Amino acid sequence: MAIDEELRSEVQNHGVFILPFEQLYNWGRKSSIWPLQFGLACCAIEMIATAAARHDLARFGAEVFRATPRQADLMIVAGTVTKKMAPQVVRLYNQMPEPKYCIAMGACAISGGPFKDGYNVLKGIDRYIPVDVHIPGCPPRPEALLHAIMTLQRKIAGQHLEKEQRPRWYDKTAPAEYLIPTYGEHDLEPPVNREVWQPPRSYRDVTLEEVKKA
Amino acid sequence: MEAIEKIKEVAEQAVSGAQIEIVNSTPAAAQPSLLVDCEHIYAVAKFFKEDPRFLMDFCSCVTGVDYLPKDDKPGYIEVVYHLYSVALKQGPIVLKVRAPRELEQCSVPSLTPLWRGCEFQEREAYDLYGVKFDGHPDLRRILMWDEFKDHPMRKDYEPLLDCEWEPTPHDDTLARAEKAGGIVPPSAIEEAHKAKR
């Protein structure tokens, strides 16, 4: 992008915008994120409040909640994901067209939250689908969701279309779907998709040198 | 409504052979309950529903309670029914019935034929405690999925070892995280290495 900044600024003053195509393309994409109309628990109420008049998600171009995954770009996982619900959530994400994004909203969606020690709640949706933005909070304020959308917009704006740095979905051979867990006798099978999520290393594998360095 | 002793007497007279015992929780609650034997619980419940003095037309709550074996006494699963009368504006009458903890023998008569509202609540008790309700029209799991084998509200249910990541482990959670090869904070890492040295 060898455009002289001064020149660019100069012509901009005359109403002429010179910018890389990718920037224009990403500007268009980030300004019309269509979320999936889908809530799982109390966080969904905050999501509704975010979309309603007071907080007005429309200011960020993301007010068009779609009632079908086939027309949505963004899945806001708003609420507790029970193990019984998890396969359906992954299936919905699989049905969304690329490029697609995911915001995990609230303590439950990012980690299981207060139900983490229970037998029935998934300990974070990032165990099955890649999450772009995590929002802590129980529930997060609408401002926090707005911040997450702005964070996602920055992420979209920073994506490249060129060969090396292009997103995964421009690679036609990349897998388009994520593994849908099945109901097992004691837990979901598998309990975690290792291709998507890896637990941090066990402290047993940490070497003494690493500890000293830390 | 009369005192619990009187209610017990009336029910015993009405249902011959019924063994009813007044049970008070400790410390004594304001709601003593009637512990009825398995064979007669249906008849006793039917009596409370139909007798004009009680007219218990509403079963508000069905609960399971797990009691582990204690001091050589065998454990049991208790099912608790709370009955109210909307017609006479009175209640509750609390009925309890007990079944052995062993899954094969853990069954009590269903009261769904008397109160349709028991259907889902008995399914929940079956799902989470493993109590079989004889005579229930549709005894399936209701909260967990059909393929699930455990009864997770039982006190001897072993929690899953899916705690690879424990940001704030303590007590039981720490023990579980250790067992699962989980993560503990840096201070514990240092201590573990000290122990190694």
Side-chain angles (χ1 to χ4, degrees):
Chain A
M1 306 313 133
I3 308 169
D4 183 45
E5 278 304 317
E6 259 177 56
L7 178 64
R8 195 213 300 250
S9 159
E10 176 68 28
V11 294
Q12 204 158 311
N13 286 342
H14 295 88
V16 178
F17 291 84
I18 301 173
L19 72 170
F21 173 71
E22 136 185 317
Q23 211 169 317
L24 181 71
Y25 179 74
N26 283 343
W27 171 77
R29 287 201 308 132
K30 79 170 193 183
S31 308
S32 79
I33 302 169
W34 290 9
L36 182 57
Q37 185 170 3
F38 145 84
L40 293 171
C42 25
C43 281
I45 305 295
E46 296 297 303
M47 183 175 74
I48 294 161
T50 313
R54 189 181 182 92
H55 297 279
D56 195 8
L57 194 55
R59 292 177 294 152
F60 302 89
E63 81 279 18
V64 191
F65 279 83
R66 303 312 288 182
T68 162
R70 292 164 214 288
Q71 298 174 357
D73 311 311
L74 167 66
M75 177 185 254
I76 302 174
V77 184
T80 316
V81 188
T82 59
K83 285 176 180 171
K84 203 174 177 182
M85 194 66 185
Q88 282 75 269
V89 176
V90 179
R91 190 170 281 119
L92 281 175
Y93 192 70
N94 281 348
Q95 289 175 351
M96 285 163 57
E98 298 276 14
K100 57 189 172 186
Y101 303 93
C102 178
I103 290 177
M105 179 181 182
C108 295
I110 67 178
S111 72
F115 313 110
K116 183 167 170 295
D117 286 332
Y119 53 88
N120 58 338
V121 171
L122 190 68
K123 292 169 178 57
I125 191 62
D126 52 2
R127 287 181 173 231
Y128 290 114
I129 55 180
V131 173
D132 294 284
V133 185
H134 295 78
I135 323 173
C138 187
R141 295 264 320 157
E143 289 92 328
L145 181 56
L146 291 179
H147 183 252
I149 297 224
M150 288 158 75
T151 308
L152 182 65
Q153 286 181 329
R154 274 201 295 281
K155 183 171 181 167
I156 294 173
Q159 284 181 328
H160 296 287
L161 307 177
E162 290 154 34
K163 275 186 179 168
E164 288 299 307
Q165 304 134 321
R166 67 180 176 177
R168 187 186 52 83
W169 50 83
Y170 289 120
D171 181 1
K172 299 289 177 219
T173 58
E177 295 197 337
Y178 294 94
L179 177 132
I180 296 170
T182 55
Y183 296 130
E185 295 190 354
H186 306 286
D187 198 359
L188 290 173
E189 294 291 340
V192 51
N193 183 358
R194 295 280 173 185
E195 284 169 24
V196 175
W197 186 85
Q198 287 290 338
R201 280 190 309 159
S202 165
Y203 73 94
R204 292 195 185 86
D205 305 331
V206 177
T207 61
L208 197 55
E209 282 67 42
E210 279 175 299
V211 175
K212 275 181 188 163
K213 226 185 252 177
Chain B
M1 219 165 52
E2 299 98 331
I4 190 84
E5 289 78 15
K6 177 78 177 151
I7 297 175
K8 172 184 181 252
E9 211 180 294
V10 171
E12 273 173 342
Q13 278 168 7
V15 184
S16 62
Q19 287 157 25
I20 306 181
E21 191 188 319
I22 297 175
V23 186
N24 232 329
S25 50
T26 44
Q31 284 179 1
S33 48
L34 299 173
L35 176 65
V36 188
D37 61 314
C38 250
E39 280 88 71
H40 296 95
I41 178 75
Y42 186 85
V44 170
K46 195 172 160 66
F47 166 71
F48 282 129
K49 187 190 175 193
E50 290 169 358
D51 190 272
R53 282 165 293 176
F54 299 106
L55 281 183
M56 293 293 157
D57 47 13
F58 175 46
C59 177
S60 82
C61 181
V62 182
T63 320
V65 190
D66 184 12
Y67 290 95
L68 287 173
K70 192 179 172 189
D71 304 334
D72 300 335
K73 276 184 257 170
Y76 50 89
I77 301 275
E78 192 171 78
V79 181
V80 188
Y81 294 88
H82 281 69
L83 311 180
Y84 287 84
S85 171
V86 177
L88 301 182
K89 293 195 172 73
Q90 62 181 11
I93 290 179
V94 185
L95 294 184
K96 289 181 173 176
V97 59
R98 288 174 183 172
R101 289 191 84 251
E102 289 70 33
L103 274 178
E104 303 79 44
Q105 300 147 34
C106 190
S107 70
V108 297
S110 168
L111 299 190
T112 306
L114 291 176
W115 294 283
R116 187 67 203 277
C118 294
E119 182 181 345
F120 278 15
Q121 303 198 47
E122 287 185 342
R123 275 176 67 185
E124 184 183 348
Y126 163 71
D127 190 355
L128 303 181
Y129 290 93
V131 198
K132 279 176 206 73
F133 290 88
D134 298 329
H136 191 286
D138 182 26
L139 196 62
R140 289 177 292 136
R141 285 181 182 274
I142 188 167
L143 295 175
M144 304 305 286
W145 50 90
D146 292 337
E147 294 86 350
F148 198 67
K149 287 276 184 282
D150 305 325
H151 300 287
M153 288 296 274
R154 284 185 172 232
K155 285 179 180 166
D156 56 359
Y157 172 73
E158 284 277 331
L160 298 164
L161 283 179
D162 54 354
C163 44
E164 305 93 332
W165 167 237
E166 281 296 337
T168 55
H170 53 85
D171 305 335
D172 293 351
T173 322
L174 177 61
R176 272 170 62 201
E178 291 260 330
K179 214 168 151 191
I183 301 298
V184 293
S187 57
I189 296 175
E190 218 154 336
E191 263 170 46
H193 281 288
K194 261 183 207 160
K196 255 188 206 170
R197 276 177 259 158

